[in-house]
Amino acid sequence: MTPPAPTARLIPSSSRHFWANEWLTSRQSFPGTGNFDLFGNAHGVLAMHNDDVVAPGEGLDAHRHRNMEIVTWVVDGAVAHRDSHGTAETLAAGTVGAMTAGRGVTHSERNANTTHRGASVRVVQMWVPPHTDDLEPAHRSADLTDALATGDPVVAVSGRSDAPETALPIRNRYAALHIARPHPGRPVELPGAPFGHLYVVRGAVTVEVAGTDAASFDTSAPGGALSQGDALRLTDAGPVTVTAEGIDAAEILYWEMHASFDVPRSV
């Protein structure tokens, strides 16, 4: 049987879904605001991937979730998290939070800077479903600042059996989130997978995907260059090599996924 051909689809920053109100600016890899079919628009098991900027003194008041794994990466500023199961903490920049909503949890997420003359907060929030419904709700967090300083990728959260002990657990056995701040000119490698989602949080990077032609997804520069806000959706691709370009700091998020909502591909 012939294996499926790898694909790589570029979603430029300018093509991301956009939503805003008086205090929130949201740029979304998938339409996540309003009456959308989250699972129908998903890639792999990634159902939401919002890059949000929240004004000082603002945020989401108490609201309820159920049966979803919610991962929050704090890019700038700090987020105040509080939930109905007793967690109350502030997540600073460089911190990842992972919440199992399970059978139901009410929580709030606000800019920890409560003065309207303070700084905005920028977060990337990502949702994947659990592999089992109605689990015990939980919230975990980890400051990755020191680990990321090496330039090497860090497995930030994972539900896979091969996850390192340092990764925060999520209840989806098919998914893992890798984060990296690659040093300029020094390539880093991310694992191939049936489904992958690479997002450039900041800076500019060159991307090479084993088994694909860079020209098939690059629309901006030779060699597969991506810049802040660009996303790359991969299917059945080999290892992904990422190299930071220029002197500005680069930061990337990469979801390695071994299932989609219709058919699990491997464990």
Side-chain angles (χ1 to χ4, degrees):
M1 182 176 179
T2 303
T7 65
R9 179 187 174 196
L10 174 66
I11 311 297
S13 176
S14 59
S15 297
R16 291 170 64 79
H17 300 271
F18 177 81
W19 188 89
N21 63 13
E22 295 82 2
W23 55 269
L24 172 66
T25 300
S26 183
R27 293 176 170 85
Q28 306 166 357
S29 288
F30 317 105
T33 307
N35 186 24
F36 290 103
D37 179 1
L38 293 181
F39 295 162
N41 286 299
H43 178 67
V45 293
L46 185 59
M48 182 177 285
H49 191 286
N50 292 358
D51 191 333
D52 296 338
V53 176
V54 181
E58 300 289 354
L60 291 173
D61 292 325
H63 57 287
R64 191 166 178 81
H65 293 284
R66 183 176 178 182
N67 293 329
M68 190 65 71
E69 301 296 296
I70 298 175
V71 178
T72 302
W73 173 242
V74 185
V75 181
D76 296 310
V79 174
H81 168 95
R82 185 181 297 271
D83 65 46
S84 57
H85 287 261
T87 303
E89 65 174 330
T90 298
L91 284 64
T95 299
V96 62
M99 185 174 76
T100 296
R103 62 175 180 266
V105 64
T106 299
H107 78 139
S108 63
E109 301 165 290
R110 301 188 63 83
N111 188 333
N113 192 320
T114 58
T115 66
H116 286 271
R117 293 185 297 275
S120 296
V121 63
R122 181 184 172 202
V123 301
V124 181
Q125 188 167 96
M126 300 154 280
W127 294 9
V128 298
H131 56 249
T132 302
D133 284 346
D134 297 332
L135 295 166
E136 179 70 17
H139 185 273
R140 304 156 292 275
S141 64
D143 186 341
L144 302 181
T145 304
D146 290 343
L148 292 171
T150 66
D152 296 325
V154 173
V155 182
V157 302
S158 179
R160 289 178 47 76
S161 60
D162 60 357
E165 292 183 359
T166 53
L168 294 182
I170 56 171
R171 306 308 186 215
N172 186 307
R173 66 173 64 96
Y174 303 107
L177 172 64
H178 305 250
I179 303 178
R181 292 173 175 167
H183 295 166
R186 198 184 85 186
V188 299
E189 186 171 293
L190 301 161
F195 301 92
H197 186 277
L198 176 69
Y199 182 64
V200 183
V201 178
R202 60 172 123 228
V205 299
T206 297
V207 180
E208 296 179 7
V209 182
T212 68
D213 177 5
S216 67
F217 64 82
D218 173 50
T219 61
S220 57
L226 279 69
S227 58
Q228 180 170 317
D230 290 344
L232 195 62
R233 298 182 194 173
L234 305 167
T235 60
D236 298 306
V240 180
T241 303
V242 178
T243 306
E245 298 294 321
I247 60 174
D248 294 332
E251 186 172 287
I252 58 170
L253 304 176
Y254 174 72
W255 279 94
E256 170 198 357
M257 297 173 284
H258 294 261
S260 65
F261 282 106
D262 49 359
V263 180
R265 305 292 284 272
S266 64
V267 176

